[in-house]
Amino acid sequence: MEELFYTLFSQLPGTDSGMQVALFSLSALLSVVACALLAHRNDLGWWAQILAVFAGPLVISMQYDALFLVYAIPALLIGVFGLWRFSKYEFQGKFTRLVLRAPFGITAIIYAVIGVAVLTALHLGEMLTTGFAFTAGTGTIWVSYLTEAVVLISFALVACGVRAGWLLMALASAVYVATLFANNPAFALLLVWVFMFIASLYAWFMWRTLPRRNSADLSVGTVAAAD
C-alpha cells in the first residue's frame, strides 16, 4: 500500500506533503467529473465543482494553513456562482439546462483577465507579499498557479454560457500538464489533469449546437433568430 501511494503521489504516506498532493489530485478528479456533467449542461456538475473545492483547497486550508482560505473561498464561490447562473436557464430534462451561448467579447475578456490576476495573487499569498514569488526558481509556481486560476475563471465563463471558456480551460490544462511533466510529477495528479484536458475539449464539442443569445452581454437573453 505504501508503494502504491508513493507511485501515485510521489510522496510518502502519512506525510503532510503526501496528504496535500492526494487532496489536490482528488480535487482535480472531481473537477473532471464537473466538466463531464457540464458538457451536458447538468446542474450536478456545479455540485461536483463545489465538492472539488471542499476536497482540495478548503480541507487543506483548514488542516494546514488557514491563510489559504483567502484563495479557497473565492474558488468555492465560483462553483456557487455557476449553480446560481445555471438556475436562470430553462430546464431541458431532469437536471439539464437549455444554455444559451454568449460570445467571448471584450467585457468577458476584461473580467477574465482581472479574475485570473486576482486568483493568482490570492493563491501566491505570503509568497507575493514577502517577495519570494519574484525570486529565481519560482517560474514553475507562477505557471501552475496561473493555469489553475485560468481553469477556475473558465468555469465562470462556462456558467455565463461562453463556449470559448472550454477551449480556455483545455489550453490551461495542457500548459499545466506540460509543467507537471517537466518537474517529476505525481502520476495521479498528472493523469487527472490529462483527463481535464480531454473533458474540456469534449465539453467544447458538445456545446457546438447550443443556440446563441440575441445580445452580447453576459446576462440571460432570448434565443437569436439564427445560429
Side-chain angles (χ1 to χ4, degrees):
M1 184 62 69
E2 291 184 357
E3 291 182 0
L4 177 61
F5 189 93
Y6 186 82
T7 300
L8 289 175
F9 306 114
S10 297
Q11 301 288 336
L12 293 174
T15 62
D16 289 347
S17 58
M19 183 57 65
Q20 289 181 40
V21 172
L23 288 172
F24 272 123
S25 300
L26 175 60
S27 176
L29 179 60
L30 288 169
S31 289
V32 172
V33 173
C35 288
L37 290 169
L38 293 174
H40 299 275
R41 293 103 56 208
N42 193 313
D43 280 343
L44 295 178
W46 294 114
W47 287 109
Q49 180 57 23
I50 291 170
L51 186 59
V53 179
F54 267 108
L58 270 179
V59 171
I60 290 172
S61 61
M62 291 185 290
Q63 186 72 26
Y64 302 104
D65 185 3
L67 291 177
F68 196 50
L69 283 171
V70 299
Y71 170 79
I73 291 177
L76 177 66
L77 291 178
I78 288 177
V80 175
F81 169 75
L83 188 63
W84 168 80
R85 194 64 178 73
F86 260 41
S87 71
K88 302 298 182 180
Y89 298 115
E90 296 179 0
F91 272 115
Q92 192 181 46
K94 191 173 184 180
F95 300 120
T96 303
R97 300 285 182 171
L98 179 57
V99 176
L100 303 180
R101 281 189 292 153
F104 193 28
I106 186 64
T107 301
I109 292 173
I110 292 173
Y111 283 142
V113 170
I114 294 174
V116 169
V118 170
L119 285 174
T120 303
L122 292 177
H123 202 170
L124 287 168
E126 288 185 329
M127 287 187 289
L128 191 63
T129 57
T130 60
F132 174 77
F134 303 104
T135 59
T138 58
T140 299
I141 295 175
W142 275 97
V143 173
S144 298
Y145 288 5
L146 276 169
T147 50
E148 288 178 21
V150 170
V151 168
L152 285 173
I153 294 302
S154 296
F155 273 114
L157 292 173
V158 166
C160 295
V162 179
R163 184 185 176 219
W166 291 118
L167 281 183
L168 190 62
M169 188 183 299
L171 176 61
S173 300
V175 173
Y176 196 85
V177 167
T179 303
L180 286 175
F181 192 77
N183 290 275
N184 190 27
F187 175 75
L189 192 60
L190 178 64
L191 184 62
V192 170
W193 276 92
V194 169
F195 286 148
M196 179 81 78
F197 171 74
I198 296 172
S200 52
L201 284 182
Y202 170 73
W204 175 79
F205 176 78
M206 292 300 295
W207 277 38
R208 71 194 186 284
T209 58
L210 295 181
R212 293 184 303 181
R213 295 179 193 153
N214 63 358
S215 59
D217 61 16
L218 296 182
S219 61
V220 175
T222 56
V223 180
D227 191 15

